[in-house]
């Protein structure tokens, strides 16, 4: 299989790193996710990664807390995951750089767009931590923003469902899966692909998203090779 894309932005939810426990990091699971990432790099694909933080903390589920502070905690959680994924990739012999949107220079590089692109051009995986660096945003929006900034060909959203459905497939056995759908329809129908801020950013910048299941991590490589898995969301279908 030959890769279809030259530069991808892979969005990994925090949940996908937690395995059965649904909380924290399961390093066996992370290693399995990192193996196809290595395969992509070896096939010459430039891989940037945005990681979520929901396996540790979500600002919007923090109850009575001040939302901005809760979101600061969420962004720190994404960095824990970024470091975990970086470690697993390095253990596989892949060169990695972590860049964070909130400076923590002793821990990671600060996010600098041109430097990120230079790393990618040298075949290093770049992992973006701290989301956008701003509260009230999500790591999906960070994925869309970084993908546009680094001029990625596509966002690969590796998630817990195998595509975009017209209703929740866990609740409705008759839910219909889309093979392709437009960003506009996702927004109009309020489908839970990404939050509306992220969807709008993808729509306005003509950035396609591929949504597929991470249950089988090899899907990452299949998706990069253009195999028909999951759902493609784009402007023109
Ligand atoms: N977050 C934020 N700004 C961002 C990205 C993330 O404040 O740009 C915080 C927010 O609290 C969010 C948490 O980080 O709930 C974890 O991110 P997200 O919920 O997107 O993670 P995922 O659901 O993908 O694991």
């Amino acid at each position: 299989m030959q890769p279809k894309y030259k530069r991808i932005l892979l969005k990994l939810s925090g949940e996908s790193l937690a395995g059965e426990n649904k909380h924290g990091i399961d390093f066996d699971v992370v290693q399995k996710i990192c193996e196809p990432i290595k395969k992509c790099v070896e096939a010459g694909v430039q891989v940037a990664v945005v990681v979520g933080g929901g396996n540790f903390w979500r600002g919007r589920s923090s109850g009575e807390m001040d939302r901005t502070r809760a979101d600061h905690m969420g962004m720190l959680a994404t960095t824990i995951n970024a470091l975990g994924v970086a470690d697993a990739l390095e253990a596989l012999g892949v060169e990695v750089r972590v860049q964070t949107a909130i400076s923590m220079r002793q821990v990671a590089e600060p996010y600098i767009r041109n430097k990120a692109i230079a790393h990618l051009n040298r075949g290093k995986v770049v992992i973006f931590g701290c989301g956008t660096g701003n509260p009230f945003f999500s790591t999906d929006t960070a994925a869309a923003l970084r993908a546009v900034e680094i001029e990625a060909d596509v966002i690969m959203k590796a998630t817990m469902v195998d595509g975009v459905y017209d209703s929740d497939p866990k609740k409705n056995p008759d839910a219909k899966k889309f093979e392709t759908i437009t960003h506009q329809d996702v927004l109009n129908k309020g489908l839970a692909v990404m939050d509306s801020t992220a969807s709008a950013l993808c729509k306005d910048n003509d950035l396609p998203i591929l949504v597929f299941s991470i249950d089988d991590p090899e899907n990452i490589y299949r998706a990069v090779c253009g195999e028909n898995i999951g759902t493609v969301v784009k402007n023109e279908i």
Side-chain angles (χ1 to χ4, degrees):
M1 283 193 291
Q2 280 302 309
K4 177 176 174 187
Y5 304 102
K6 287 185 102 144
R7 182 178 290 163
I8 64 160
L9 188 302
L10 175 67
K11 163 72 207 300
L12 297 173
S13 68
E15 209 182 349
S16 71
L17 310 177
E20 303 275 288
N21 300 331
K22 307 267 176 226
H23 191 80
I25 298 178
D26 180 333
F27 276 97
D28 289 337
V29 170
V30 175
Q31 196 195 328
K32 288 202 178 77
I33 292 174
C34 288
E35 280 161 5
I37 296 178
K38 178 180 180 179
K39 230 167 128 176
C40 294
V41 174
E42 285 174 347
V45 181
Q46 298 186 4
V47 184
V49 183
V50 166
V51 281
N55 52 328
F56 287 116
W57 187 264
R58 279 198 183 97
R60 61 186 179 278
S61 324
S62 59
E64 297 295 297
M65 266 193 83
D66 174 68
R67 173 65 190 266
T68 298
R69 180 168 293 126
D71 280 343
H72 287 159
M73 290 167 68
M75 286 188 271
L76 293 176
T78 70
T79 306
I80 298 177
N81 287 332
L83 296 174
V85 174
D87 196 73
L89 280 169
E90 279 172 3
L92 292 173
V94 179
E95 276 202 272
V96 192
R97 292 290 180 271
V98 178
Q99 292 199 341
T100 55
I102 295 173
S103 273
M104 41 182 95
R105 286 170 180 271
Q106 288 81 355
V107 174
E109 290 180 7
Y111 171 63
I112 299 172
R113 183 258 191 183
N114 284 2
K115 213 167 164 187
I117 290 177
H119 289 322
L120 291 169
N121 285 336
R122 288 191 203 109
K124 291 176 189 149
V125 172
V126 181
I127 307 177
F128 298 118
C130 288
T132 63
N134 300 294
F136 298 98
F137 287 93
S138 66
T139 50
D140 279 353
T141 303
L145 177 63
R146 294 293 181 248
V148 174
E149 285 183 276
I150 64 165
E151 297 172 0
D153 301 322
V154 65
I155 296 183
M156 305 250 159
K157 185 170 155 104
T159 178
M160 310 311 278
V161 276
D162 64 347
V164 182
Y165 285 79
D166 61 356
S167 58
D168 186 347
K170 286 186 188 129
K171 291 183 192 147
N172 176 12
D174 296 325
K176 181 177 151 279
K177 185 173 139 187
F178 297 99
E179 232 174 73
T180 51
I181 184 168
T182 62
H183 292 301
Q184 190 64 59
D185 275 348
V186 165
L187 285 162
N188 290 348
K189 294 179 204 285
L191 301 176
V193 183
M194 291 182 140
D195 54 84
S196 56
T197 316
S199 282
L201 201 53
C202 292
K203 174 179 164 288
D204 293 349
N205 293 285
D206 203 16
L207 182 69
I209 313 167
L210 221 100
V211 184
F212 59 95
S213 165
I214 188 86
D215 251 5
D216 178 359
E218 188 63 18
N219 277 344
I220 295 173
Y221 189 69
R222 294 189 188 107
V224 164
C225 292
E227 248 192 69
N228 202 5
I229 53 168
T231 300
V232 182
V233 189
K234 53 186 181 178
N235 278 340
E236 306 282 336
I237 58 173

